[in-house]
Amino acid sequence: MAKSIRIRAKVKGQTATVKALITHPMETGLRKDAKTGEMIPAHFIQEVKCEHGGKTVVNALWGAAVSKNPYLSFAFTGAKPGDTVKLSWVDNKGKSDSAEAKVK
Amino acid sequence: MKRRSFLKGTLASSTIAVAASAGLLTPRHVLAAWPESAFEAENIEDAMSNLFGTADNKAADSINIKAPDIAENGAVVPVTVSTTIKGVSAIAIIAEKNGTPLAANFELTSNAKAMISTRIKMGKTMDIIAVVKSGGKLFTARKNVKVTIGGCGG
């Protein structure tokens, strides 16, 4: 699977800020296909987990109301430049992906 | 022949076991934690009680919601929630009048700062409600966002 995650982490003082963009359709299941008139089945990310040093920092639970190609950003303390942050997601069809980035 | 298929069988099952122990199958465990009833709830009280076990909440000035006053496109409304409340364990974003109001819930560990941003869909003009959980209590804040083009369906 092509990489679906773009992640960047930057440390400033004591705080590391992580920004991530995920490529995902985030279908609500309420939309109709313009051509066939059939409902497009729901397909959205349910859980996004971010880990630093093997420990979960943020665990995001999402519904279908999160926008297409989701963006998320958060901050945490205790990271040094060179550390690795890992982001992984799982959607309602059981697909998943993960990516890692070095903290700058 | 029999021996061969027997070997194949054991090999296959052992790879599954290895995969499971290496954490490759963890998404399945993770998925089980997704609070379906909260995300499918059609009103705010149900969403909150299904998610946090209670809908009791207090309005708090110390929660800051950053979102546009007028969103031209309801499909992409940037929202940032931050708070000065200490010991925050979760921040949830609720879009008041969406069919299923709960948009997202961020579970924060003690290292995480009480600040998250994301983008959500909004069907029409409504309030965004931020719910902050701290020490087992819920605190909320609201911000009205005018939506010119709805973002749920077409």
Side-chain angles (χ1 to χ4, degrees):
Chain A
M1 187 173 177
K3 274 286 162 206
S4 64
I5 304 173
R6 282 166 60 193
I7 176 172
R8 220 176 260 183
K10 217 170 192 180
V11 86
K12 201 177 180 187
Q14 295 291 306
T15 311
T17 306
V18 180
K19 291 178 181 176
L21 263 176
I22 306 171
T23 309
H24 199 281
M26 298 300 281
E27 284 294 347
T28 56
L30 305 170
R31 232 157 54 93
K32 271 188 182 155
D33 191 307
K35 279 183 199 142
T36 61
E38 275 174 39
M39 298 299 267
I40 301 170
H43 187 201
F44 57 94
I45 295 176
Q46 291 186 315
E47 191 150 355
V48 183
K49 197 157 103 178
C50 187
E51 291 162 278
H52 166 248
K55 272 204 235 157
T56 306
V57 181
V58 172
N59 193 26
L61 304 166
W62 283 354
V66 173
S67 299
K68 180 180 174 182
N69 298 336
Y71 164 79
L72 86 153
S73 167
F74 57 88
F76 65 99
T77 51
K80 304 183 296 296
D83 285 3
T84 308
V85 277
K86 186 183 169 198
L87 193 92
S88 50
W89 59 257
V90 186
D91 69 20
N92 66 328
K93 292 185 177 175
K95 282 189 190 149
S96 62
D97 198 6
S98 66
E100 287 182 356
K102 286 251 185 292
V103 177
K104 278 182 192 156
Chain B
M1 269 313 270
K2 256 188 188 165
R3 197 178 59 168
R4 193 153 293 211
S5 58
F6 171 71
L7 268 174
K8 254 188 196 163
T10 42
L11 256 180
S13 56
S14 66
T15 29
I16 291 170
V18 168
S21 61
L24 287 173
L25 293 178
T26 39
R28 277 180 205 287
H29 294 282
V30 170
L31 212 60
W34 193 71
E36 195 176 340
S37 59
F39 279 102
E40 282 177 356
E42 287 173 4
N43 64 62
I44 301 160
E45 284 75 27
D46 284 355
M48 271 161 73
S49 50
N50 288 345
L51 186 63
F52 296 120
T54 171
D56 280 345
N57 67 83
K58 254 209 287 212
D61 295 334
S62 47
I63 302 171
N64 182 24
I65 304 176
K66 206 174 116 193
D69 294 328
I70 299 171
E72 273 181 26
N73 184 357
V76 190
V77 183
V79 182
T80 299
V81 179
S82 58
T83 177
T84 49
I85 295 170
K86 293 270 177 287
V88 174
S89 59
I91 297 178
I93 298 173
I94 294 175
E96 190 190 21
K97 285 177 188 160
N98 273 1
T100 50
L102 182 62
N105 177 36
F106 294 82
E107 295 173 346
L108 308 176
T109 54
S110 53
N111 282 346
K113 292 249 169 181
M115 185 224 63
I116 52 107
S117 341
T118 187
R119 300 191 293 216
I120 64 165
K121 294 173 201 159
M122 294 172 72
K124 53 186 161 188
T125 299
M126 63 177 90
D127 280 0
I128 293 176
I129 304 169
V131 186
V132 171
K133 188 185 181 194
S134 168
K137 289 202 182 97
L138 301 181
F139 301 92
T140 53
R142 284 168 172 265
K143 180 175 188 343
N144 188 261
V145 176
K146 284 194 167 54
V147 175
T148 27
I149 307 167
C152 290

